[in-house]
Amino acid sequence: MMPQSVPINHHTQFSPDQGEAQDIIRDLIDRRFFSETEQYGKLADWLNKRRRYKSWGIISGARGAGKSRASQKYDQVANGQRGPLRRVKPLPSFYLKGFTGWGTRDICNHTLKRFNHGARKGKPDDIRFRTKDVFEEFGLELLLVDNAHLVSDKALQDLVECYSCNKDGDDFRIAIVLIGPDKDLDEKLKRLGLRNKFGSEHKFKSLSPRQLVNVIKDFQKNFLGLPKEMEFFDGEIIAALCQASGGNLTILDKAGCDFDIITEILVLSIAQSSEDGVLRLDKPVLEEVLCDFGVYLEPIVEEPDDTEPGAAG
């Protein structure tokens, strides 16, 4: 059975004139759907070791491989997906996403705000050590810094200075993991003379076509809520998604599918299908979005039956 439109089994609905539908759909997918791929399992094991032994390292991988999404998921799972931070000790993990040019003050202010420890009256102490005090108060075990290649040199140097050694009898230690693209992060750390501080490296690979098929099956079952016997993503659609995301279907186990592109296609398809405010995914809309990404599906045209009635031979 091949449905042309499927409703999304979720309570969130919206009015077409209330903000951008794409933002609502993106938030919905980010919060409600995650496929636990082989890559995620390996990453979780590696991060558990960093936490346990308070060791430092980096997560590297191609842009769009999904390392940020997987790191966020690990943070949610490690913290019991309890939502806003509460005073629970120890706090297994804290995920922080940096932005271009962020310095030490930007990182610390954002962190303190997340922990509900904003600026106090009067002249604050060194903001770096105020942040460290908050981490110690919560018993933080692992700090994940995403987009580490974008933050300022001074921010990374301060991070190392604050947490690489114990001073004045301070026995508080945490694991620190930086996340960024393959060459960018590695070259930045080498230029700053900090690469040896983050000796352990986990290379996060992009999806293979075979793994993409499993992700789409999960999406169909756990996000769209379709029964197993109902196929919405047929072989042609999956092949098109693979092609659009940079994968090679002729080599099923070769990494190369861009997870971010796949997510973008699904976000745009659902948003455009749901312009009336009812969440759904229409196959013709999905095909149009695939065309926008340079992948064209040929319509299936049935060959006419020219056999005359009663003719034989």
Side-chain angles (χ1 to χ4, degrees), residues 266-277:
L266 294 175
V267 166
L268 291 173
S269 300
I270 296 173
Q272 293 176 34
S273 300
S274 310
E275 289 183 347
D276 60 357

Side-chain angles (χ1 to χ4, degrees), residues 21-313:
Q22 289 93 333
D23 293 338
I24 298 171
I25 303 301
R26 191 183 310 280
D27 182 67
L28 179 61
I29 290 179
D30 285 344
R31 291 175 180 273
R32 299 295 178 183
F33 173 72
F34 183 83
S35 182
E36 294 194 6
T37 62
E38 179 183 347
Q39 286 91 326
Y40 173 74
K42 291 180 177 179
L43 175 67
D45 289 342
W46 184 82
L47 286 174
N48 282 335
K49 291 177 182 177
R50 305 284 77 72
R51 276 177 53 204
R52 185 178 304 122
Y53 301 113
K54 294 181 170 57
S55 64
W56 292 13
I58 66 174
I59 300 171
S60 64
R63 286 182 169 84
K67 55 188 178 295
S68 295
R69 184 81 173 277
S71 299
Q72 288 175 292
K73 182 64 177 181
Y74 175 86
D75 178 70
Q76 293 169 1
V77 172
N79 293 326
Q81 302 191 19
R82 55 175 169 257
L85 293 171
R86 297 183 299 178
R87 293 179 182 273
V88 178
K89 290 186 65 173
L91 181 67
S93 171
F94 179 69
Y95 172 89
L96 173 70
K97 185 174 184 178
F99 293 92
T100 303
W102 265 26
T104 299
R105 182 166 289 275
D106 299 301
I107 292 174
C108 292
N109 279 334
H110 180 78
T111 299
L112 292 171
K113 183 178 179 180
R114 289 274 304 277
F115 281 90
N116 196 27
H117 280 251
R120 300 166 184 151
K121 293 182 179 180
K123 186 177 180 180
D125 295 329
D126 187 329
I127 194 169
R128 298 176 304 168
F129 294 103
R130 272 213 296 134
T131 304
K132 185 175 181 179
D133 287 344
V134 171
F135 285 161
E136 184 170 8
E137 179 184 345
F138 278 79
L140 180 64
E141 297 176 341
L142 169 66
L143 174 63
L144 296 165
V145 183
D146 202 354
N147 283 345
H149 62 296
L150 296 180
V151 304
S152 72
D153 293 354
K154 184 66 164 58
L156 289 180
Q157 290 166 338
D158 283 346
L159 191 68
V160 171
E161 181 181 348
C162 282
Y163 298 99
S164 62
C165 60
N166 297 327
K167 297 179 180 179
D168 301 325
D170 180 12
D171 61 355
F172 174 66
R173 291 182 59 84
I174 61 173
I176 299 178
V177 172
L178 307 181
I179 306 165
D182 284 317
K183 294 182 179 179
D184 302 57
L185 181 56
D186 185 67
E187 291 176 356
K188 185 181 184 78
L189 291 173
K190 285 180 178 177
R191 177 172 55 80
L192 296 174
L194 301 178
R195 186 63 181 88
N196 64 324
K197 295 289 186 179
F198 300 87
S200 181
E201 179 177 6
H202 179 84
K203 291 187 175 293
F204 193 92
K205 295 182 179 180
S206 54
L207 294 173
S208 69
R210 192 186 306 277
Q211 291 169 330
L212 171 61
V213 171
N214 292 330
V215 168
I216 293 301
K217 286 182 178 179
D218 281 352
F219 184 81
Q220 180 172 279
K221 175 184 176 182
N222 297 322
F223 188 78
L224 298 181
L226 298 181
K228 187 175 181 180
E229 63 273 11
M230 184 178 289
E231 290 290 344
F232 183 81
F233 295 92
D234 55 32
E236 188 178 24
I237 292 291
I238 291 178
L241 285 168
C242 180
Q243 181 182 343
S245 64
N248 184 352
L249 267 179
T250 64
I251 310 177
L252 290 178
D253 293 312
K254 182 178 180 180
C257 297
D258 189 309
F259 188 81
D260 287 348
I261 290 179
I262 297 166
T263 301
E264 186 71 11
I265 290 172
L266 294 175
V267 166
L268 291 173
S269 300
I270 296 173
Q272 293 176 34
S273 300
S274 310
E275 289 183 347
D276 60 357
V278 179
L279 285 170
R280 63 175 178 273
L281 176 57
D282 295 338
K283 184 169 287 186
V285 174
L286 173 59
E287 293 174 354
E288 287 180 10
V289 172
L290 284 166
C291 288
D292 292 340
F293 280 76
V295 180
Y296 302 91
L297 283 81
E298 295 292 333
I300 299 176
V301 179
E302 294 185 5
E303 294 292 331
D305 186 358
D306 295 330
T307 307
E308 295 182 8

